[in-house]
Amino acid sequence: MKTITEGIQEKKGQDIVICDLRNIDGAIAQYFVICQGQSPTQVEAIAESVGDKCRQAGEKPTSVVGLGTDQWVAIDYVDVLVHVFLPETRHFYDLESLWTDATLTHIPNLD
């Protein structure tokens, strides 16, 4: 989680939430990491930063979807799914509310 969070914060990603899904039957991953950027360019930069940091740590995603539209980029690390949104897209899908039984950890924004 620390590597992913660092990648997000390096590009000034905001409102990071880590959803612990380990105790939820049928969850598609152990964790979701959700954040947002303020523009499509920033969303793409955050996704690339997360990818760079994780590759440096020896982790490669199994898939990345959403690059090019940059409203919602999802990066699949099997046990961890990273979601980088534009604010309005994040609000619309509201992933944090879909997993009501998950433990949510809010990471403070860096100034």
Side-chain angles (χ1 to χ4, degrees):
M1 290 311 141
K2 184 174 189 248
T3 302
I4 292 168
T5 302
E6 287 174 356
I8 294 167
Q9 290 175 329
E10 184 173 276
K11 296 299 178 181
K12 308 230 184 296
Q14 297 288 301
D15 302 324
I16 302 168
V17 176
I18 299 172
C19 302
D20 185 342
L21 308 172
R22 292 176 294 175
N23 294 321
I24 298 176
D25 290 336
I28 59 173
Q30 291 185 16
Y31 296 94
F32 276 5
V33 179
I34 304 167
C35 70
Q36 65 190 40
Q38 297 304 312
S39 69
T41 303
Q42 187 183 19
V43 167
E44 185 167 334
I46 293 166
E48 289 175 356
S49 179
V50 168
D52 290 346
K53 291 276 187 192
C54 288
R55 272 189 292 286
Q56 291 170 7
E59 296 290 332
K60 291 183 181 176
T62 59
S63 68
V64 178
V65 293
L67 288 174
T69 60
D70 300 320
Q71 293 186 23
W72 176 6
V73 177
I75 310 167
D76 186 351
Y77 288 100
V78 182
D79 290 334
V80 180
L81 284 171
V82 181
H83 301 273
V84 186
F85 287 102
L86 284 176
E88 56 273 13
T89 307
R90 182 179 186 173
H91 177 74
F92 179 81
Y93 288 101
D94 197 15
L95 293 184
E96 293 98 319
S97 294
L98 290 178
W99 302 97
T100 56
D101 294 341
T103 301
L104 304 180
T105 303
H106 297 265
I107 307 296
N109 291 332
L110 297 179
D111 291 328

